[in-house]
Every structure is written in structure tokens, then in C-alpha cells.
Amino acid sequence: MTKLSAAMKAWRGPIVDILNDNRCFNSSAEGGKRWRVLVKMLFETDKTALTELLSRITTAPSANIFTNREYEMLLRSLNLRRLSYVLLTGEKNQFLTQLPTIQEKLVDTLRSVTAPIVQSEVYLCVRVLLCRLSPHNLSSFWPVILTELYRVFEQVTGSLPSDGSEELGLILAASKLLDLLLVLQTEEFQIHQWIFITDTVDAVYRPDQWSPAAMLDCLAEIVGELPSEGSSKHLDHVVSTSPTTPSVGTRILRRPFLRNLHQIDSIRDLVPFFNQASIAYYESVYSSDGRVDWEAVEEGLYEDMFEGR
């Protein structure tokens, strides 16, 4: 039906209405997958649709004093999530020509909007871009990505968020982005990963009088000293998650460590990730031979979009 131009008028309106509905992402990940063919075709045939969506992401705040600030940030976050969904439905490099505008909108949002709910969506969108664009096409994006990731984690080392705070969602989003970067192991990231993890044999065999230098190792030590009271139920999901998984025969594929974690109630919930990231990914590089479980990566993206809100 999507290939018949005469039928486009029949399905275009309902698809636009569904995508623009604020309840769109309340459905399941499977529901999101079922709509992806129509969404993909909509943005392939309507060349103005993506431009319109991008314009709504950085719309200037209303001057109306009665406007609810929280609701305004929620709308921005939803528009960012719509962008992530649209990009995910596309083919590899399908939106390459629009990348400069997309990048500009994301960078502007990171630098001008401090609301954690909005910044979290930017990190989700970057994860989608990593899956839908060839790594070399994102070369100009790396300075911003690395700087913002470091900023988020550095703030945690200076001031740990309280249980239940809205900053936890942002920290989880940043951790998931870093998690994916460690899985993909692109050349552009490998030269910088030492900032976040110990990527040498010291990760496995720590020398005497070893002290943490990488960001996640420092966080593991700082957060690990917190009392264990009130530790969240989500811990079990993280501990049971391995960065590699058997596929066919003895073939091993790398997959995200945090793929089953969609919400945290305490910074303690990320202790297993902080503790194991260095050693897990050092070992996975040799056990997986660079192969990535793309099915698990994309499944995690759909679950974060449609089950995380």
C-alpha cells in the first residue's frame, strides 16, 4: 500500500496524527516496530516533513507567563523522541544530507536547555545516529559528544544525585550512550575511550597500589562507598546482563551492557556498570572479534523509546 501513490492520501493523515499525538510513545516497542514502514515512507515521500519536525525541536519558549515550563520541556523532549524514531525507521545514511541541520539542533539543545528530560532525549537521538550513519560521517560531532558525556559524569563525581531525582534519568541516558560507544568500538571513539574506562590489561590484572584514573572507575569507587540501603530492584537486571552473547555456534557478538535497564531510582543502580565496564569491554574486544549484535542494539533503542516513558 505504501508504494501506491494513489493510496498515500488514505494513510498519510492518520500516520501524521499518530506521530504527533503525545501518547504515541506510550505503546509497546512491538507497536513502534509495526508502524515503522509507514513512518519511513512518510518521510521519504514528504520532503518537508523532517524540516518541520526539526523546527519544532528548538522552538523559542513562549512569552506567555501562564505557560507551564515543565509542560514546555515535555513537548521538546517528545519532539526529540519523534526525531529519534523517524531516524531509526530509516535506512543506513538515509538522512545524511540532513545531518548538518540535525547536528546543529542537537548541539543547540544541549547547550541552551538544561532540563534533564530534554538532554536525555538528545543522548537517545545520538545513539540512533550511531546506528544509522557511518562513523566517519559523525566526525565533526565527536568533540561535542565527548565533552558533554564527560561533563555529565564529572558532575556526578562532584555531587551525587539523591534517590528519585530527575538527574538520574540524564545519567542513565549518558551511561547508555557510553555503553553503546564501547560496544561499537569505532576508530573515532577508541582513541578517546581511555578517558572513560581503563582500556589496558590493567583493567583485568590491576597492579599493586592501583588507583582509578578513568571516569567510570572513579565513579565505581565513589558510588560504591554509598550505603547499600534502598538499593533498587533494577540492580538484578544489570548484573545479569553481559556485554557479549553467543550467537551461532561459537560466534560471540557484543551487545549493550545496560540493554535491560530503562529506569533507575538511585545512582547505586549503575554501580555494576561502573564496576564492570573496563574489564567487560576489554575482554569483549578479544572474544567478539569486533562483531556487534545489531539486533540487540536496535531492540534496546525501541524499548527505550516506547517503554521508557
Side-chain angles (χ1 to χ4, degrees):
M1 183 178 73
T2 58
K3 296 181 180 180
L4 299 175
S5 57
M8 183 176 178
K9 291 182 179 179
W11 59 263
R12 184 186 184 282
I15 293 300
V16 171
D17 291 341
I18 290 172
L19 190 60
N20 289 332
D21 193 315
N22 289 348
R23 299 167 296 177
C24 173
F25 298 103
N26 291 343
S27 64
S28 66
E30 290 303 316
K33 291 178 185 178
R34 285 195 291 268
W35 289 105
R36 62 184 171 185
V37 175
L38 289 172
V39 172
K40 176 178 179 290
M41 185 58 64
L42 170 64
F43 281 81
E44 281 183 351
T45 55
D46 188 346
K47 302 304 181 182
T48 64
L50 185 61
T51 302
E52 181 183 347
L53 177 57
L54 288 170
S55 68
R56 291 157 53 190
I57 290 175
T58 53
T59 301
S62 173
N64 189 335
I65 61 174
F66 298 105
T67 299
N68 187 307
R69 177 70 174 174
E70 291 185 3
Y71 182 66
E72 193 174 271
M73 292 300 102
L74 175 61
L75 291 181
R76 279 198 177 189
S77 68
L78 284 170
N79 285 329
L80 280 164
R81 185 164 292 200
R82 290 184 182 99
L83 174 62
S84 297
Y85 179 44
V86 169
L87 296 175
L88 187 57
T89 63
E91 302 293 338
K92 190 84 169 181
N93 293 322
Q94 177 178 332
F95 297 101
L96 182 59
T97 56
Q98 291 90 356
L99 178 60
T101 305
I102 294 172
Q103 181 175 326
E104 179 186 353
K105 297 293 185 181
L106 295 181
V107 172
D108 181 62
T109 301
L110 278 175
R111 292 176 174 172
S112 63
V113 183
T114 58
I117 188 176
V118 176
Q119 293 207 348
S120 297
E121 294 300 328
V122 173
Y123 290 127
L124 175 61
C125 191
V126 173
R127 286 166 59 197
V128 174
L129 289 174
L130 289 169
C131 296
R132 285 295 178 264
L133 292 172
S134 301
H136 66 272
N137 290 321
L138 293 170
S139 57
S140 62
F141 211 173
W142 284 109
V144 177
I145 294 174
L146 295 171
T147 300
E148 292 302 318
L149 274 179
Y150 188 85
R151 178 186 61 81
V152 171
F153 291 123
E154 187 179 38
Q155 287 179 346
V156 177
T157 62
S159 177
L160 294 176
S162 58
D163 291 357
S165 68
E166 61 179 0
E167 285 79 12
L168 291 172
L170 174 58
I171 297 168
L172 176 60
S175 297
K176 285 198 164 220
L177 173 55
L178 180 57
D179 188 19
L180 180 59
L181 289 170
L182 292 168
V183 167
L184 300 183
Q185 287 290 306
T186 62
E187 292 182 7
E188 293 81 1
F189 178 70
Q190 284 181 12
I191 59 176
H192 301 290
Q193 66 181 8
W194 61 270
I195 300 173
F196 301 99
I197 62 168
T198 301
D199 59 354
T200 65
V201 70
D202 288 351
V204 182
Y205 304 104
R206 293 183 174 177
D208 296 336
Q209 298 181 335
W210 180 86
S211 61
M215 180 59 73
L216 292 193
D217 293 331
C218 291
L219 283 170
E221 189 169 272
I222 294 171
V223 181
E225 293 177 352
L226 291 175
S228 59
E229 297 179 8
S231 186
S232 171
K233 60 184 178 181
H234 298 293
L235 268 172
D236 293 336
H237 294 295
V238 184
V239 173
S240 64
T241 302
S242 170
T244 58
T245 178
S247 181
V248 180
T250 58
R251 187 183 180 195
I252 302 296
L253 302 177
R254 287 206 302 269
R255 53 167 54 178
F257 193 92
L258 297 172
R259 66 187 182 278
N260 293 330
L261 191 64
H262 308 297
Q263 180 181 345
I264 59 174
D265 302 317
S266 169
I267 191 64
R268 301 179 191 86
D269 297 348
L270 290 173
V271 168
F273 174 63
F274 296 154
N275 268 328
Q276 298 297 320
S278 292
I279 183 172
Y281 290 104
Y282 181 81
E283 293 179 340
S284 72
V285 168
Y286 298 97
S287 62
S288 66
D289 194 28
R291 292 185 289 263
V292 175
D293 188 345
W294 285 106
E295 183 178 347
V297 170
E298 294 199 8
E299 181 68 24
L301 288 170
Y302 275 106
E303 289 181 355
D304 282 340
M305 285 182 195
F306 288 91
E307 296 181 352
R309 187 179 295 280

